[in-house]
Amino acid sequence: MDSDFYSDEIMETHDPRGFTLREAIHEAKRCLNCAKPLCRTGCPIENEIPEFIKELANGNIGEASAVIARRSNLPAVCGRVCPHEKQCEGACILNRKGEGIKIGKLERFIADVDADFELTPPPKPVDTKGKVAIIGSGPAGLTVAGDLAKKGYKITVFDAQEEPGGVLMYGIPEFRLAKEVVRREIKRIRRLGVEFINNIMVGQDLTLQDIFAQNFDAIFIATGNSVAKSLDIDGKNLVGVLEATYLLQMVSLATQGSVDQSEVPIKSGDDVVIIGAGNVAMDAGRSAIREGAASVTVVCREAEDKVAALESEVEAAKAEGVKFRSLRQPTKFLGSIKVRGLQCEILHFDENAKLTGTGVHDFIKADKIVIAIGQRPAARIISTTKGIEVDEGGFVKTRSRPYGMTTLHGVFSGGDVVHGPATVVRAMKDAKKVAMGIAQYVEAKKLMQECGLKIEKDR
Ligand SMILES: Cc1cc2nc3c(=O)[nH]c(=O)nc-3n(C[C@H](O)[C@H](O)[C@H](O)COP(=O)(O)OP(=O)(O)OC[C@H]3O[C@@H](n4cnc5c(N)ncnc54)[C@H](O)[C@@H]3O)c2cc1C
Ligand code: SF4
């Protein structure tokens, strides 16, 4: 299929956040199709970038999409939220001569056009290889589901939330990732024969033993990091001190109409302080602005040019009115019943370039203080299952052979619950390797069963 296939109207359709077809093909034609593509090395899941760009440059969007599908089940998501500037785009050779290829926008364009025109219908489901249960439907769970379904496994995904998607659905705000895009990706995974069962909290409504009793050959735990780290200082229980993940979840639920707008903890006219300066903090700050906050101030220990959030996210937050007070250590939430401000110690770099307190404090007025200093895993499944070891931070321990298996036979794990909070594509990368580990395990198990041997340890 070449570009003549598409009407002039489609060629010129302009999505303000993305490329038109004309722009996409023009951008794709700039690619040098390098023999040793640095872009591919820069991509954590080694997407076949030059190959899909070449197909696009020739107007073959269906082929381009099929190339992407060889490595990714979530191209429309990755095209929108991956930190491309630190990965594929940052590595592109053309950066040395001027402007690198906009790989993220191209991936997103291909995924969107494929979805709109159904250029590549998913393969017919085959589910003869074995039965695998997945707990958690974020990027890690969805990746294992998609990869194993394509290999011929029957997959059932359990999730505690009303809809699948994990952080994609209930964390990243709508203005950065439209929920319709997430639903569309999940629909494609569903069409591979994957079954989703929602509103089930494993460890509470169902145990791993109950799941194994349903004849699953293996279980994959991909429950992410749902417990927010707290700040143990005076006043931490005051009304108005809240967690960023809770705020973002309530904003998502209100946007989707699942809860009333009055449940969103930020109100119009609030002065808001955000503690922490990672990407979650930027999302919380930008969401607070959209909820009508009178002021939003990010408070962080780091110097402003050393914060954990992507530069593009910091710039976007600043452009929307978020202010920064860096080199500050929060020391006290002020107020009696309701919070009314945050006291901080001002930090500086001493003669050894070490960050230390100056003994001088300042005060920031606040009606709401949002804590965004990281997350860790919940212990719901671990505490109701014998034999799954975790490290001191609560992260699940896994082995390298078969890749991703926990200390409990037949139970695998991956994504943030194993490696800690990271990125969508990091969770996908890990999950892809675990999918292969699960396939090896189930295959070996079936073979042993066929030979009349038993490999199961007692659970
Ligand atoms: C606000 C926010 C913004 C982010 N922005 C970006 C970004 O722009 N780009 C980027 O690359 N990364 C971003 N990240 C990081 C990225 O989203 C995560 O690294 C990724 O989602 C981790 O995937 P996961 O599958 O391991 O877990 P999650 O996405 O956390 O999914 C875990 C799932 O498990 C379910 N679950 C948990 N416990 C149970 C249980 N007991 N029973 C049943 N189900 C359970 C949960 O309901 C959830 O659906 C962001 C993270 C946050 C919090
Ligand atoms: S490094 Fe840049 S120019 Fe080379 S193949 Fe990748 S995207 Fe194309």
Side-chain angles (χ1 to χ4, degrees):
M1 191 189 293
D2 63 23
S3 49
D4 294 341
F5 172 83
Y6 303 98
S7 66
D8 280 354
E9 192 190 336
I10 293 167
M11 289 291 279
E12 295 305 341
T13 299
H14 193 70
D15 171 347
R17 297 152 306 156
F19 279 138
T20 64
L21 177 57
R22 200 177 298 282
E23 287 164 347
I25 290 180
H26 180 263
E27 181 69 359
K29 284 189 168 159
R30 288 205 305 119
C31 172
L32 306 175
N33 208 354
C34 306
K36 284 191 183 158
L38 299 178
C39 54
R40 188 168 184 200
T41 329
C43 172
I45 55 166
E46 292 177 50
N47 237 330
E48 295 169 28
I49 295 167
E51 290 82 355
F52 80 66
I53 293 183
K54 189 172 174 198
E55 293 295 353
L56 174 60
N58 292 328
N60 300 327
I61 301 177
E63 278 305 312
S65 185
V67 172
I68 296 174
R70 297 207 284 255
R71 305 287 313 157
S72 172
N73 296 292
L74 301 168
V77 168
C78 287
R80 286 169 168 83
V81 303
C82 271
H84 301 107
E85 63 264 50
K86 283 192 172 171
Q87 299 174 350
C88 54
E89 288 180 9
C92 172
I93 190 97
L94 285 176
N95 285 310
R96 296 179 197 171
K97 294 186 185 162
E99 209 182 340
I101 301 287
K102 298 264 179 297
I103 301 165
K105 270 175 98 173
L106 291 180
E107 183 182 27
R108 168 183 163 176
F109 173 82
I110 294 162
D112 289 357
V113 173
D114 188 356
D116 285 350
F117 293 93
E118 295 235 351
L119 298 176
T120 56
K124 269 214 156 78
V126 187
D127 56 13
T128 51
K129 291 261 185 81
K131 264 180 84 176
V132 178
I134 294 175
I135 308 167
S137 60
L142 292 174
T143 298
V144 170
D147 280 12
L148 287 183
K150 285 178 198 161
K151 279 183 190 285
Y153 289 83
K154 170 80 192 126
I155 306 294
T156 306
V157 184
F158 298 92
D159 199 289
Q161 295 280 6
E162 204 176 313
E163 276 194 76
V167 171
L168 308 178
M169 195 50 114
Y170 295 104
I172 303 179
E174 177 78 20
F175 60 83
R176 285 208 301 117
L177 179 61
K179 301 312 150 207
E180 275 319 308
V181 170
V182 182
R183 290 192 183 105
R184 208 176 65 196
E185 303 273 59
I186 288 165
K187 192 171 153 199
R188 277 183 80 83
I189 294 171
R190 227 184 261 279
R191 285 172 66 191
L192 295 168
V194 173
E195 182 189 8
F196 288 89
I197 302 181
N198 284 83
N199 293 316
I200 293 281
M201 180 68 84
V202 178
Q204 184 179 299
D205 306 325
L206 201 65
T207 63
L208 291 204
Q209 296 292 350
D210 298 332
I211 296 177
F212 273 126
Q214 295 174 30
N215 286 330
F216 283 99
D217 296 297
I219 297 177
F220 176 57
I221 301 174
T223 44
N225 293 164
S226 54
V227 180
K229 287 189 186 162
S230 58
L231 198 56
D232 198 12
I233 55 174
D234 272 4
K236 64 182 179 187
N237 295 323
L238 289 173
V239 175
V241 177
L242 54 121
E243 293 155 0
T245 44
Y246 173 72
L247 167 66
L248 290 166
Q249 184 170 352
M250 294 315 282
V251 170
S252 271
L253 290 169
T255 310
Q256 292 165 42
S258 303
V259 300
D260 193 77
Q261 180 62 29
S262 61
E263 307 253 353
V264 175
I266 304 275
K267 308 291 172 213
S268 179
D270 277 349
D271 287 312
V272 178
V273 166
I274 314 278
I275 301 178
N279 289 320
V280 175
M282 297 308 118
D283 279 346
R286 296 176 70 190
S287 297
I289 296 265
R290 283 166 177 74
E291 294 302 319
S295 72
V296 177
T297 309
V298 165
V299 169
C300 60
R301 285 174 54 83
E302 309 84 351
E304 211 171 302
D305 59 345
K306 293 279 186 299
V307 298
L310 283 177
E311 201 182 324
S312 53
E313 290 303 312
V314 174
E315 290 313 315
K318 283 184 179 169
E320 289 171 10
V322 175
K323 303 269 180 281
F324 281 70
R325 280 212 205 175
S326 56
L327 300 177
R328 297 286 191 288
Q329 173 66 48
T331 46
K332 197 174 185 181
F333 297 110
L334 303 167
S336 49
I337 295 169
K338 284 186 181 176
V339 75
R340 61 176 179 82
L342 181 70
Q343 177 185 284
C344 299
E345 181 176 9
I346 299 174
L347 307 175
H348 77 146
F349 291 97
D350 65 15
E351 57 279 9
N352 301 317
K354 198 169 163 249
L355 199 56
T356 46
T358 57
V360 179
H361 289 81
D362 68 356
F363 163 82
I364 309 168
K365 181 175 171 299
D367 302 300
K368 302 284 156 53
I369 300 184
V370 182
I371 303 174
I373 56 170
Q375 299 97 245
R376 60 183 171 80
R380 220 171 262 112
I381 298 177
I382 309 308
S383 61
T384 54
T385 314
K386 266 197 211 143
I388 303 178
E389 284 178 22
V390 295
D391 67 14
E392 60 286 357
F395 298 99
V396 179
K397 288 186 184 174
T398 58
R399 47 201 262 182
S400 52
R401 221 174 123 77
Y403 189 89
M405 193 154 94
T406 67
T407 44
L408 184 62
H409 222 82
V411 178
F412 291 72
S413 190
D416 279 8
V417 72
V418 168
H419 55 62
T423 58
V424 169
V425 75
R426 170 79 168 82
M428 289 167 66
K429 176 187 176 179
D430 192 41
K432 289 189 83 61
K433 287 167 76 178
V434 183
M436 280 173 14
I438 295 174
Q440 281 169 352
Y441 170 82
V442 176
E443 245 172 66
K445 180 179 159 179
K446 300 264 172 204
L447 187 64
M448 299 286 273
Q449 281 168 349
E450 272 172 37
C451 299
L453 301 167
K454 195 168 183 270
I455 57 163
E456 298 282 291
K457 277 189 186 162
D458 287 335
R459 283 195 189 96

